[in-house]
Amino acid sequence: MANSSMKRNVETVTRMYESFAEGDIDAVVATWDSGIELHEPEGIVGGGTLRGRDEILENLFAGFANDWTEVSVVPERFIDGGDTVVALITWSGTYVETGTSVEFRGAHVFDFQDGKIVRWTSYADTALFNAATENGPTDSFGPSERSGWRPHRFPDRF
C-alpha cells in the first residue's frame, strides 16, 4: 500500500509540472491542499512564505505572469520519499523590465498529506535570479503595473 501511495505522489508532482508547462493553472492548483504553504528562499526578490492557494496565485504566479516571459520549470529528476517528493529542476525565464534572461538549477520539495501537496519548499540560485531583476521593481512577485502582457505559459486570468 505504501508503494502505491508513494508512486501516486510522484505522479501528482509530474502532472503538476506538465500542467504548468501547458498553462493549465487550474490543474496545477488541483494538486494543492487548500491550506498549502509555499516557502520561497528568503534571499530571493519576493521571497518568504505564502499561505493558501489564493495567496500563491495572487502573489507568486500573477507576479511571474506580469514580470517574466518564457518562464519554464523543467523537472530533471524526482526523488521519491513517500510523503515527501523532491524534484530537481531547471528554472528559466526573462525578466521583462530588464530584458535579462536567467537559467539555474534548483529543487522543489513537496510534502503530501491525503494525496495533496501541503507544503512546497523552493530552493533556487538567489544571486542569479536577483541579478536578472537588477534595476527592476523590488516586488517581482507582486502585482505589476503592466496590463495586457502575458507569457505563453500562463492563462489569461492573471
Side-chain angles (χ1 to χ4, degrees):
M1 183 79 155
N3 285 341
S4 70
S5 167
M6 290 169 57
K7 184 177 179 182
R8 273 196 308 268
N9 291 341
V10 170
E11 289 171 354
T12 296
V13 172
T14 301
R15 194 171 59 251
M16 185 191 76
Y17 284 112
E18 290 169 352
S19 297
F20 179 81
E22 295 165 0
D24 188 351
I25 301 305
D26 289 333
V28 171
V29 172
T31 66
W32 304 345
D33 181 80
S34 62
I36 186 173
E37 285 190 357
L38 172 61
H39 301 274
E40 287 287 328
E42 291 291 337
I44 205 165
V45 174
T49 300
L50 300 171
R51 290 178 177 83
R53 294 171 176 168
D54 291 341
E55 191 170 304
I56 293 169
L57 289 172
E58 292 167 13
N59 294 301
L60 180 70
F61 280 38
F64 280 139
N66 289 318
D67 295 337
W68 292 85
T69 185
E70 300 300 318
V71 171
S72 175
V73 183
V74 179
E76 309 280 331
R77 179 178 175 198
F78 296 102
I79 301 166
D80 190 343
D83 286 335
T84 300
V85 175
V86 177
L88 302 179
I89 62 157
T90 298
W91 193 101
S92 62
T94 301
Y95 192 65
V96 172
E97 185 85 14
T98 63
T100 303
S101 295
V102 64
E103 178 175 308
F104 58 84
R105 297 187 74 186
H108 290 154
V109 178
F110 301 97
D111 293 309
F112 281 80
Q113 186 174 7
D114 299 323
K116 296 284 188 179
I117 298 169
V118 295
R119 185 174 30 255
W120 174 357
T121 305
S122 180
Y123 297 90
D125 188 325
T126 58
L128 283 176
F129 185 90
N130 291 342
T133 66
E134 194 170 297
N135 299 321
T138 58
D139 66 342
S140 73
F141 287 166
S144 173
E145 295 298 318
R146 288 179 288 282
S147 62
W149 180 86
R150 300 288 182 262
H152 73 285
R153 291 210 161 107
F154 287 90
D156 289 336
R157 74 175 202 210
F158 291 114

